[in-house]
Amino acid sequence: MPESREALLERLRNAARQVRRDVFRALRAGGSGHAGGSCSAADLLAALYFHRMRVQPKDPNWPGRDRFVLSKGHATAALGAVLAQAGFIDDSVLDRFYHFDSPFGMHPDIRMDGIEMCTGALGHGLAIGMGMALGARIQDQGFHTFVMIGDGELHEGSNWEAAMAASHYGLANLTAIIDFNKIAQSGPLDELVRVDPLADKWRAFGWEVREIDGHDMGQIVDTLDALPFHGDRPSAIVAHTVKGKGVSFAENTYLWHSNNVTDEVYERALAELGPK
């Protein structure tokens, strides 16, 4: 029997909640890490991996797989949590976050199954994703490439060079997802360098754009199902999110862009996130 829409949305919400639980689990194991941007991206990542993307966790290098690049590499705790939940990596890897010789570090590492690109130096992911999408066209392959970009990361000019080129090549098989939580490492974006009007900027670069609530699973699913938004243009999803979403003491503050996670902090976070 096909899965109903409500069952699908509930399954994805539960998956996202588990991602947030595992983010704090990993950060406790490592002692610190980037909770804010990991939690803001959790719903988007859950919908991508457990609904939209074509992947085979037991065959992570399957040629037909959709590609995902986490350009905002500091949110690797969330990506690792998704990869563990999906079965790309063993769940025990989460307890080795940021440990010596662990493939699960503070930024994505291609030593870990399911990671397409080492990221962390901001501003590089979209250009690489564009290359993947262009390569798919040249080789007549049907996979789609997704790139998640941080809003503070958009201060890097290389993003806009890649955006301009992707539009020039008409890469309808490329989607940029902007995690628009409006808070960067050292403060609110409006106090650092404003990026608004963000959707209009992407439109001006020739992308087809939709703005959504990045925590409304129904909106996320409907938007991903509508891809590509245009047959001859790349797609951009401007997802309005909350930094640290799901854990009240981490929400809407740059102090939890990166912070220490003790046993006490971990227990407080899990008490708010609820059971598995």
Side-chain angles (χ1 to χ4, degrees):
M1 182 176 179
E3 185 178 31
S4 70
R5 176 176 172 83
E6 283 309 309
L8 167 66
L9 297 182
E10 186 62 19
R11 175 172 63 82
L12 295 177
R13 292 184 192 112
N14 288 336
R17 183 170 64 252
Q18 187 58 41
V19 168
R20 292 186 172 97
R21 290 174 57 89
D22 284 337
V23 163
F24 277 88
R25 172 185 166 190
L27 268 53
R28 178 184 64 165
S32 66
H34 299 82
S38 292
C39 288
S40 66
D43 299 294
L44 297 160
L45 288 171
L48 275 171
Y49 275 86
F50 302 121
H51 173 63
R52 176 58 174 82
M53 287 177 58
R54 297 174 303 164
V55 293
Q56 294 183 2
K58 300 306 179 185
D59 184 10
N61 296 316
W62 171 49
R65 71 191 183 280
D66 288 335
R67 271 61 167 177
F68 175 76
V69 175
L70 183 66
S71 192
K72 47 170 281 179
H74 52 279
T76 186
L79 180 55
V82 167
L83 294 178
Q85 195 174 153
F88 282 91
I89 60 174
D90 192 89
D91 181 77
S92 63
V93 175
L94 299 177
D95 296 315
R96 297 176 54 215
F97 179 69
Y98 210 38
H99 288 197
F100 177 74
D101 205 29
S102 171
F104 189 24
M106 200 63 76
H107 298 101
D109 188 325
I110 58 173
R111 291 184 300 159
M112 195 160 77
D113 285 343
I115 301 294
E116 300 285 355
M117 175 188 171
C118 295
T119 58
L122 297 180
H124 297 168
L126 186 58
I128 299 299
M130 184 199 70
M132 293 175 177
L134 186 58
R137 174 191 292 174
I138 291 169
Q139 297 178 18
D140 196 25
Q141 296 183 14
F143 65 81
H144 198 97
T145 299
F146 299 86
V147 180
M148 180 174 283
I149 306 168
D151 49 6
E153 181 182 4
L154 292 176
H155 293 162
E156 299 284 352
S158 49
N159 288 293
W160 302 106
E161 294 179 44
M164 180 168 54
S167 173
H168 171 77
Y169 288 113
L171 296 178
N173 60 345
L174 174 66
T175 296
I177 302 172
I178 298 89
D179 183 8
F180 196 14
N181 61 40
K182 304 169 185 67
I183 297 176
Q185 181 175 4
S186 55
L189 282 186
D190 283 351
E191 296 178 8
L192 299 172
V193 177
R194 292 188 303 276
V195 297
D196 277 328
L198 187 54
D200 287 343
K201 284 185 170 69
W202 285 91
R203 292 187 184 102
F205 273 75
W207 291 56
E208 198 72 15
V209 183
R210 294 195 184 181
E211 290 189 77
I212 65 169
D213 178 343
H215 301 307
D216 183 320
M217 196 58 77
Q219 286 189 37
I220 296 171
V221 165
D222 290 344
T223 302
L224 293 177
D225 284 348
L227 290 169
F229 302 150
H230 190 284
D232 297 306
R233 297 177 188 169
S235 302
I237 300 171
V238 177
H240 293 269
T241 61
V242 174
K243 193 101 166 178
K245 177 68 175 179
V247 179
S248 62
F249 60 82
E251 288 187 351
N252 283 317
T253 173
Y254 73 90
L255 297 176
W256 275 95
H257 177 88
S258 178
N259 210 331
N260 296 331
V261 176
T262 62
D263 288 346
E264 178 185 2
V265 168
Y266 173 69
E267 295 299 334
R268 286 176 61 198
L270 261 60
E272 293 195 19
L273 290 168
K276 293 183 178 181

